Amino acid sequence: MAATRLYLDWNATAPLHPAARDAMLHALDLYGNPNSVHGEGRATRAAIEAARRQVASLMGADPAHVIFTSGATEAANMVLTPEFRMGRTPLAIGRLYISAIEHPAVREGGRFAKDKISEIPVTPKGTVDLAALETMLAAHDKTEGLPMVAIMLANNETGIVQPVSEAAKIVQAFGGLFVVDAVQAAGRIPLDVNAIGADFLIVSSHKIGGPKGAGALISRGEVLMPKPLIHGGGQEKGHRSGTENALGIIGFGAAAAAAIAELDHRNADVAKLRDRLEVGMKLAAPDVIIHGEDGARVPNTSFFTLPGLKSETGQIAFDLEGVAISAGSACSSGKVGESHVLSAMGCDPKLGALRISLGFTTTEEDVERAIAAFARIAGRRKPAGAAA
């Protein structure tokens, strides 16, 4: 094993950004409860509200429309519910429509009953089938309530960017609510909740260099809101009770501010490194299949199949080379299984696939080392038809 490890699994979690670390170290001295009226409480509250503005800026949102949660999974469970209110008036959502490539946090459907969830197919290119979405919404039973549609902005496995703005227009035409999981897009492509046309965006702190345990649900307005998932003292304007995780929120805000400041050069640099990686892989193994390479992807992600190499075997092989990568989502208790994303795209999920995802500290030397490890692993594959 190499003397130093190489981390290339940024889609699972990003290392803590120095700006977030510094902000959190300072926040350790903010011991006041942010809901107390004394000076100590007001100091903590001021830091949380500054972080709220930072997160809002990253998403092109109004700070008043940012609800802090424990992470993206909680945000998804909060917003994916049949019970909404428009001001003080109850509003029923009859059915949830999700794309076939959603993250497990959305695929589970939140608080919807399983028989109230429908799956939108995707094209072989890995993008949501807009014609199918329109057909499904046209057939929606309005007597049950309004439709809700949830489509991720960038797929966590392939990195493929979804046509969410086009989907938003379709959803709006049928009077539905539109939820966008922006977890893998935040900090990698410019975001604006209004330009996207989403009613709600979901974002996570630890994907952009903030700490784990913080996330947000961001709304386009504040009149239309889901029934609270967590009840209690009425924090976050009554939308999410419980004393705020000040340390996590402050680190989240600092990471968001850093992502805004570094977005342009971070994207350009990482895109060049990802392209160099894929060129190197193709030279080492011409039969490698890079999923989504012909479409729009976030700049840091490469999801590939190496024929003759199982996902689990490949992940272990890279780990033994000192390179940390993944076989897709890291949110399934560490299990390596068939990719529902590949299956939805019409690929044979038994082929297996591996994901390399880069970040703001990845260097050219790191990429060359990853290519060398890939070449060694590819060279050890058994020839087709060889005995197991």
Side-chain angles (χ1 to χ4, degrees), residues 123-296:
T123 70
K125 291 185 176 293
T127 56
V128 65
D129 188 331
L130 295 178
L133 170 62
E134 189 165 10
T135 298
M136 295 171 78
L137 292 184
H140 175 76
D141 184 357
K142 296 180 181 178
T143 64
E144 294 182 338
L146 298 177
M148 173 183 284
V149 176
I151 299 174
M152 59 185 6
L153 182 46
N155 184 258
N156 53 298
E157 293 188 11
T158 64
I160 295 172
V161 176
Q162 301 300 309
V164 291
S165 295
E166 294 87 339
K169 294 174 184 176
I170 295 171
V171 176
Q172 290 165 4
F174 287 96
L177 275 63
F178 190 37
V179 177
V180 172
D181 170 1
V183 167
Q184 295 294 346
R188 293 173 185 152
I189 58 177
L191 294 178
D192 186 299
V193 63
N194 294 300
I196 292 170
D199 293 294
F200 296 93
L201 291 180
I202 296 168
V203 66
S204 174
S205 165
H206 74 101
K207 305 292 188 178
I208 64 169
K212 300 172 185 64
L217 178 66
I218 298 172
S219 63
R220 194 148 47 107
E222 59 181 347
V223 175
L224 178 68
M225 293 302 298
K227 180 180 179 180
L229 178 65
I230 299 177
H231 301 270
Q235 290 86 350
E236 295 296 291
K237 295 184 178 179
H239 302 309
R240 200 275 188 184
S241 292
T243 302
E244 294 90 342
N245 171 16
L247 189 65
I249 289 170
I250 291 166
F252 184 12
I260 295 169
E262 300 168 5
L263 184 64
D264 291 340
H265 80 79
R266 189 190 287 187
N267 284 347
D269 293 346
V270 170
K272 290 178 182 177
L273 293 176
R274 196 269 309 278
D275 292 346
R276 168 62 191 133
L277 170 71
E278 294 183 345
V279 168
M281 290 195 299
K282 290 177 182 178
L283 289 173
D287 60 338
V288 67
I289 302 166
I290 299 174
H291 302 285
E293 66 174 325
D294 295 330

Side-chain angles (χ1 to χ4, degrees), residues 7-362:
Y7 186 76
L8 297 178
D9 197 17
W10 289 65
N11 284 13
T13 193
L16 193 65
H17 194 286
R21 183 188 299 275
D22 290 345
M24 293 171 72
L25 287 173
H26 175 73
L28 289 172
D29 293 327
L30 297 174
Y31 51 84
N33 188 311
N35 302 291
S36 297
V37 297
H38 47 59
E40 290 81 358
R42 294 198 305 274
T44 306
R45 170 56 59 193
I48 288 175
E49 295 311 313
R52 198 184 307 276
R53 292 190 293 274
Q54 290 168 322
V55 172
S57 293
L58 179 63
M59 312 303 285
D62 185 328
H65 301 162
V66 175
I67 303 168
F68 286 121
T69 65
S70 66
T73 295
E74 184 192 323
N77 278 268
M78 177 181 176
V79 73
L80 301 180
T81 175
E83 297 182 87
F84 268 73
R85 64 176 184 268
M86 181 72 75
R88 296 185 178 182
T89 304
L91 185 68
I93 309 299
R95 179 166 290 274
L96 172 65
Y97 300 85
I98 62 171
S99 84
I101 57 171
E102 293 301 305
H103 185 278
V106 171
R107 277 175 65 82
E108 287 298 311
R111 291 180 273 178
F112 280 89
K114 295 300 181 185
D115 64 351
K116 296 296 183 181
I117 304 172
S118 297
E119 189 172 272
I120 311 161
V122 299
T123 70
K125 291 185 176 293
T127 56
V128 65
D129 188 331
L130 295 178
L133 170 62
E134 189 165 10
T135 298
M136 295 171 78
L137 292 184
H140 175 76
D141 184 357
K142 296 180 181 178
T143 64
E144 294 182 338
L146 298 177
M148 173 183 284
V149 176
I151 299 174
M152 59 185 6
L153 182 46
N155 184 258
N156 53 298
E157 293 188 11
T158 64
I160 295 172
V161 176
Q162 301 300 309
V164 291
S165 295
E166 294 87 339
K169 294 174 184 176
I170 295 171
V171 176
Q172 290 165 4
F174 287 96
L177 275 63
F178 190 37
V179 177
V180 172
D181 170 1
V183 167
Q184 295 294 346
R188 293 173 185 152
I189 58 177
L191 294 178
D192 186 299
V193 63
N194 294 300
I196 292 170
D199 293 294
F200 296 93
L201 291 180
I202 296 168
V203 66
S204 174
S205 165
H206 74 101
K207 305 292 188 178
I208 64 169
K212 300 172 185 64
L217 178 66
I218 298 172
S219 63
R220 194 148 47 107
E222 59 181 347
V223 175
L224 178 68
M225 293 302 298
K227 180 180 179 180
L229 178 65
I230 299 177
H231 301 270
Q235 290 86 350
E236 295 296 291
K237 295 184 178 179
H239 302 309
R240 200 275 188 184
S241 292
T243 302
E244 294 90 342
N245 171 16
L247 189 65
I249 289 170
I250 291 166
F252 184 12
I260 295 169
E262 300 168 5
L263 184 64
D264 291 340
H265 80 79
R266 189 190 287 187
N267 284 347
D269 293 346
V270 170
K272 290 178 182 177
L273 293 176
R274 196 269 309 278
D275 292 346
R276 168 62 191 133
L277 170 71
E278 294 183 345
V279 168
M281 290 195 299
K282 290 177 182 178
L283 289 173
D287 60 338
V288 67
I289 302 166
I290 299 174
H291 302 285
E293 66 174 325
D294 295 330
R297 290 180 290 168
V298 286
N300 78 315
T301 305
S302 183
F303 192 51
F304 62 92
T305 292
L306 191 56
L309 185 70
K310 294 181 179 179
S311 298
E312 185 172 10
T313 303
Q315 193 171 358
I316 293 170
F318 271 96
D319 196 47
L320 292 174
E321 291 277 353
V323 183
I325 67 168
S326 72
S329 174
C331 301
S332 301
S333 302
K335 295 180 288 186
V336 178
E338 296 181 359
S339 168
H340 73 279
V341 175
L342 287 183
S343 180
M345 292 169 64
C347 303
D348 182 358
K350 295 185 183 301
L351 288 175
L354 296 169
R355 182 186 68 191
I356 292 179
S357 47
L358 316 178
F360 52 78
T361 64
T362 307

